[in-house]
Amino acid sequence: MSHWIQRRSTEDKNRPNDHRTPFQKDRSRIIHAAAFRRLQAKTQIMGIGVDDFYRTRLTHSLEVAQIGSGILGQLRSTLPDTHFLPCRSQIETLCLAHDIGHPPFGHGGEIALNYMMRNSGGFEGNAQTLRIVSKLEPYTPGFGMNLTRRTLLGFIKYPDFIDNLWLTQPKVDPTAPFIKADLWLPAKGLYSDDKDVFDWILKPLNESDRQLIRQHQPLDKYRNKTCFKSLDASIMELADDIAYAVHDLEDAIATGIISLGQWHDFALSEFKSISGPWLKSNIDRISHKLFSKHHSDRKDAIGELVNLFITENRIENNQHGFSSEILSYSLSLPDEYKAILQVLKRFINKLLIRKPKMQQIEFKGQKLIIELFNAFSTDPLRLLPENTQQRWLETFELTGCGNRVICDYIAGMSDEYAYKVHNRLFSAQVD
């Protein structure tokens, strides 16, 4: 187990009487990181400034951490053998930081950066998270937050390189003024630029496990998708799905974006196709509470749904042939509850995320990111901040391309800061 608490860089810090575990130190480094604080100014789903109680990526991440901790507590109370489970501090670390790689303007920003990086290794929010914690955050120069090996493995939801996951890229029309977003959804993987980090993380595994974890299969005509992830990553991913499906539903109902009629037309009609005793006995009561005039009723229904998904999940051996226990076990929900969660996610996607007004906001952010990238890449040693100029120059001299540095800079912006920089470059108004 000692190799899983190792860090990429040895540390000699003056911390007398510090009795924290390595994973408690990881959590502290996340909480005190600038990249974590920036989540307060990044869009979750509803735009910053829409209401004074909506969820940002920061509050979403806090809720994911609470759910992840609840899942772990449930597993520890029900499993006869828990030696292979992560500790609470580690799961909270993964959940708190799972979104720090996401750029401004949500998926619109992610698509824009992926398009601009199409010939330079691509862009993907989870890959950027690993890059931030392992390289960019200036806690330890060159090693990011210098987190433990098991924590870094837990961040990797898609363990292969983006360059290996593209089957074929969409054709680029240089005369088109805009890009079609659905064509430039990222291939979900890691950057080849971070191969040194990935190789170090997988070093304790045997050769068979190192090869198997990178296995992938076709997703669509453009992309492959990876097949496996660690146990820790699967806990973090389920906690994220629960928070996304349930808490974003709460925001949408509270602000009147989603109506009872839409719930009946879309969600309830899909629930009818799911066979299961819980749904049959409870969905009418839950529906009534969700759209009740009383705030306490809605909160109670939301709490009941979260509790359901936390308490009904299971750990099982995935039978994929891994030797490492961290890879051999996966978290899953029974079919009924998995189907309920998927309906809620599709409902949020259709009625909130794909709502034309929301897509127009995403489109605006997408266009803004492309324009920023074009400006900086045209004259980086003139327009980038001085410290970023130095990074760009060092990278360009080493590789012949500085696009990854420009991408890092833009991805780290908050929504508001991206607007300010864009106005400074393109607006006639004096900043």
Side-chain angles (χ1 to χ4, degrees):
M1 184 63 184
S2 62
H3 45 255
W4 291 113
I5 61 173
Q6 289 177 347
R7 304 180 188 276
R8 290 179 66 221
S9 176
T10 57
E11 297 184 347
D12 182 20
K13 298 183 181 297
N14 184 24
R15 302 291 190 272
N17 302 313
D18 185 352
H19 302 296
R20 292 175 298 169
T21 68
F23 298 119
Q24 287 174 330
K25 292 177 182 179
D26 284 354
R27 181 180 57 189
S28 296
R29 294 178 189 188
I30 293 295
I31 291 173
H32 293 286
F36 179 67
R37 293 194 297 275
R38 289 191 191 102
L39 293 176
Q40 67 187 306
K42 289 192 177 185
T43 299
Q44 170 60 10
I45 289 182
M46 302 177 66
I48 302 297
V50 172
D51 281 289
D52 61 358
F53 62 92
Y54 59 89
R55 289 172 166 89
T56 66
R57 283 202 183 271
L58 179 62
T59 57
H60 164 75
S61 297
L62 293 172
E63 290 173 333
V64 174
Q66 181 63 31
I67 293 170
S69 178
I71 292 172
L72 183 64
Q74 179 70 16
L75 294 174
R76 289 195 176 279
S77 69
T78 56
L79 289 175
D81 181 10
T82 61
H83 76 276
F84 56 87
L85 290 177
C87 67
R88 177 178 175 179
S89 297
Q90 190 208 348
I91 283 299
E92 289 182 350
T93 298
L94 298 178
C95 293
L96 286 170
H98 78 283
D99 265 356
I100 64 173
H102 282 250
F105 311 117
H107 291 295
E110 184 177 45
I111 287 166
L113 284 176
N114 185 51
Y115 172 75
M116 298 308 295
M117 292 293 292
R118 61 192 181 277
N119 298 320
S120 305
F123 179 85
E124 200 273 326
N126 296 283
Q128 192 69 15
T129 292
L130 180 66
R131 184 168 172 81
I132 289 171
V133 300
S134 63
K135 287 188 174 180
L136 301 182
E137 187 69 22
Y139 181 85
T140 305
F143 298 95
M145 301 181 198
N146 200 30
L147 304 178
T148 58
R149 181 183 263 117
R150 181 161 179 172
T151 295
L152 291 178
L153 178 64
F155 280 120
I156 300 176
K157 291 171 62 175
Y158 311 108
D160 198 9
F161 299 111
I162 289 173
D163 290 340
N164 297 334
L165 297 172
W166 277 110
L167 292 169
T168 180
Q169 285 197 353
K171 293 182 179 180
V172 176
D173 181 357
T175 65
F178 308 112
I179 63 170
K180 185 173 175 58
D182 288 348
L183 292 180
W184 291 100
L185 294 169
K188 292 183 177 295
L190 303 172
Y191 306 141
S192 296
D193 291 336
D194 299 326
K195 183 178 183 300
D196 57 334
V197 177
F198 188 50
D199 288 345
W200 180 84
I201 293 170
L202 299 188
K203 189 174 180 180
L205 302 176
N206 63 35
E207 181 62 24
S208 175
D209 281 3
R210 287 199 295 267
Q211 293 298 321
L212 186 57
I213 196 174
R214 294 179 58 179
Q215 186 173 316
H216 51 257
Q217 61 189 29
L219 173 65
D220 54 32
K221 69 177 182 178
Y222 296 114
R223 290 164 287 261
N224 285 318
K225 65 175 182 178
T226 57
C227 301
F228 308 120
K229 58 179 66 68
S230 70
L231 168 63
D232 307 348
S234 71
I235 295 174
M236 176 261 285
E237 185 175 43
L238 178 60
D240 186 25
D241 282 351
I242 294 169
Y244 162 77
V246 181
H247 287 142
D248 290 339
L249 172 66
E250 180 183 12
D251 272 0
I253 294 173
T255 54
I257 293 177
I258 289 178
S259 68
L260 178 59
Q262 291 171 319
W263 175 258
H264 277 284
D265 291 344
F266 182 85
L268 292 186
S269 64
E270 287 214 13
F271 284 140
K272 290 179 181 178
S273 65
I274 300 172
S275 61
W278 186 92
L279 196 63
K280 184 177 181 180
S281 301
N282 294 281
I283 191 58
D284 289 340
R285 179 179 55 81
I286 290 291
S287 298
H288 175 75
K289 282 191 169 186
L290 283 174
F291 291 90
S292 169
K293 294 180 180 179
H294 302 290
H295 174 74
S296 59
D297 285 343
R298 184 170 64 247
K299 294 298 293 186
D300 186 55
I302 292 297
E304 184 173 347
L305 287 170
V306 171
N307 179 75
L308 176 74
F309 296 128
I310 286 177
T311 58
E312 294 297 334
N313 58 75
R314 301 286 184 268
I315 285 283
E316 55 188 27
N317 191 304
N318 53 42
Q319 304 295 324
H320 293 312
F322 287 106
S323 298
S324 170
E325 288 183 314
I326 298 176
L327 304 179
S328 296
Y329 291 92
S330 298
L331 184 72
S332 64
L333 283 168
D335 290 343
E336 178 187 5
Y337 306 112
K338 185 185 298 183
I340 294 171
L341 187 60
Q342 290 302 316
V343 169
L344 292 177
K345 288 173 65 177
R346 288 196 298 271
F347 181 66
I348 288 295
N349 184 67
K350 180 178 178 64
L351 275 300
L352 183 57
I353 296 176
R354 302 302 299 181
K355 191 179 179 73
K357 181 179 179 181
M358 294 296 180
Q359 287 301 302
Q360 289 167 7
I361 294 171
E362 271 201 9
F363 175 83
K364 181 179 180 180
Q366 173 185 308
K367 177 176 178 291
L368 183 149
I369 293 294
I370 290 174
E371 290 176 349
L372 283 179
F373 199 107
N374 279 326
F376 290 132
S377 61
T378 298
D379 203 345
L381 297 182
R382 176 189 179 198
L383 299 178
L384 289 170
E386 290 183 359
N387 61 333
T388 309
Q389 287 183 27
Q390 184 61 35
R391 282 191 57 231
W392 184 93
L393 188 60
E394 291 171 356
T395 303
F396 183 81
E397 289 177 346
L398 185 65
T399 67
C401 179
N403 282 351
R404 181 60 66 191
V405 175
I406 296 173
C407 183
D408 289 339
Y409 175 56
I410 295 175
M413 294 180 177
S414 67
D415 296 25
E416 183 179 1
Y417 184 71
Y419 276 126
K420 287 182 177 180
V421 174
H422 188 270
N423 284 338
R424 191 180 305 137
L425 289 171
F426 294 103
S427 175
Q429 182 179 351
V430 177
D431 186 3

